[in-house]
Structure formats: C-alpha cells, structure tokens
Amino acid sequence: MKILEHGQTQEKTLLFLPCTAEPVWAFTVTVELLSQKWHVFKVVYDGHQLEYPGDFTSVEQMVDEITAYLKERGVSRLDAAYGCSLGGACLPRMLALIIIEGLTMYLSEADVKCIFDVIAGRFPNATVFVETMNPMAVKRFKEKSIEGSHAKFTWGVKNGAALAALLPDFRLVEEHGLTEGMAVFVPIYKVLDKLTVVRNISNKIIVMEKR
C-alpha cells in the first residue's frame, strides 16, 4: 500500500480512497484541484499499480495500514474523507459516528468506561455523541415514565471536562445542554438556559472524539 500526499501546505486534511482497479492517473486532475484547498492523502491499494508492488489481501489489513500511516504523521483526525467502491468499503471501518442517548444514567461509571473502551478498540477514528445526567439530578430526580419498569438513575457526570478525565482515549470536542436544544421548540427554554443553575443540572449531549 502506498499513500501519495498532495497539498501538504494546506491545513485541512482529506483522505482519498479510490475505487477498485483504477490507476493512479485516473484521478490526477481531481486530486490536483482538491490539493488547492486540502492536504490530500491519496491511497494506492496493493496490486493496483505496477510501480508500487504488493498483493491485496483484505480491506481490514488495508485499513490498519492506512491508520498506522496517518498516526505516524501525526494525523489524529480528518476534516473530510472520500471513498468509492473499495474505498467506500474501507471508510466505515475507519470512521464512526456513535450516538449514546438515554443510557448512561442507568449504568455505572465502570460500564460507561467499558463502552468507550470497546469503541476505542474497534474504531480507528470515532466521534461519540453521548447524553449524560448531572449527579445532582441522578440523586434527586425521578422520571415517571420509567416507574413501571423499576429502573432508576444510577450514574451522572458534571460536564464534558469531567467525562473526558475518565476517558484517556478520547478528547472533549463540545457539549450542549438540554435547555439549549429545547429552546428551538419551546421558547421558555431560552429563558431557562440563561439561568446558570438550570443550565448546569440539565442533561447534556457531550461530543467526544477518539484521540
């Protein structure tokens, strides 16, 4: 496997994974245009170009090699990625968006850490949107909709920084409170969101990204 870099002076990164059995020259014009605004990492698969010998074995091996190459060059995240055919088969194994909604407050800290450990071990690059509850709300708030199931809130975390401190393989990207999101639908939440105490104890959507 060979990766050809173009536009190295550009800040934004783009991983370019072409389709099966296409020679390098087939995308020359496209890559030249992209490299005017992007630092392009163009993948040449094993067995697809005479000057780059090697036998194609599996998508999984290809993904591992691409990931290792990017890490060696200090690329921990991508701004964009393109994959067609074989490239499209590689991308889902490299990039993941995972949404964990309405779950963590019923688990333990160990359970939450275990979930993120599994994500870190499975995906080379992953962004996680996770809903969390404030510890104060966990202790004092009761949700009528779950009374019949005898479920109860068991775990909470103060904010995104506190969650990031528990997860060494992930970094905090951003966080948004429930009041912030609800304000789009119910105007009164715009007022509530301005109250620090309400904003602090409301559920949050925390965005974490694998390092």
Side-chain angles (χ1 to χ4, degrees):
M1 188 272 302
K2 179 77 173 179
I3 292 183
L4 305 177
E5 296 187 42
H6 305 267
Q8 288 92 326
T9 59
Q10 307 299 336
E11 292 185 5
K12 291 185 177 181
T13 54
L14 186 152
L15 179 63
F16 192 93
L17 295 155
C19 47
T20 310
E22 288 287 351
V24 170
W25 59 260
F27 296 97
T28 299
V29 175
T30 301
V31 172
E32 285 180 353
L33 290 172
L34 288 170
S35 64
Q36 294 176 16
K37 293 185 177 181
W38 303 83
H39 180 179
V40 181
F41 295 88
K42 180 183 177 183
V43 177
V44 182
Y45 309 117
D46 287 333
H48 281 61
Q49 196 73 18
L50 291 176
E51 59 264 43
Y52 306 127
D55 296 323
F56 181 84
T57 53
S58 68
V59 168
E60 288 75 17
Q61 179 179 334
M62 188 67 57
V63 168
D64 288 343
E65 292 179 2
I66 294 170
T67 302
Y69 180 94
L70 294 174
K71 285 184 176 180
E72 287 175 3
R73 281 148 185 80
V75 180
S76 59
R77 64 184 299 274
L78 295 167
D79 293 295
Y82 167 84
C84 176
S85 183
L86 177 57
C90 291
L91 273 183
R93 292 169 170 80
M94 298 183 65
L95 310 172
L97 172 61
I98 299 163
I99 300 174
I100 305 172
E101 187 269 335
L103 176 64
T104 63
M105 58 285 298
Y106 300 104
L107 305 176
S108 66
E109 181 177 300
D111 292 330
V112 173
K113 292 172 71 174
C114 181
I115 289 173
F116 276 86
D117 285 343
V118 170
I119 294 172
R122 176 62 181 82
F123 300 101
N125 296 280
T127 299
V128 183
F129 286 55
V130 56
E131 181 185 6
T132 61
M133 181 176 281
N134 186 282
M136 184 182 300
V138 169
K139 293 179 180 179
R140 301 184 180 182
F141 183 72
K142 292 184 178 181
E143 174 58 58
K144 292 184 179 180
S145 64
I146 63 174
E147 286 182 351
S149 66
H150 303 293
K152 62 179 182 179
F153 301 130
T154 54
W155 182 81
V157 67
K158 185 177 179 181
N159 52 36
L163 179 62
L166 300 174
L167 308 171
D169 292 327
F170 290 82
R171 70 178 187 88
L172 173 64
V173 177
E174 57 186 314
E175 59 183 285
H176 300 276
L178 174 65
T179 51
E180 179 185 345
M182 289 299 295
V184 177
F185 306 100
V186 185
I188 187 62
Y189 277 94
K190 292 182 180 179
V191 178
L192 294 175
D193 190 52
K194 294 180 180 179
L195 302 175
T196 303
V197 63
V198 175
R199 189 167 61 251
N200 287 343
I201 66 173
S202 69
N203 281 21
K204 291 179 172 57
I205 297 297
I206 299 175
V207 182
M208 305 295 293
E209 187 174 75
K210 185 182 174 185
R211 296 182 184 278

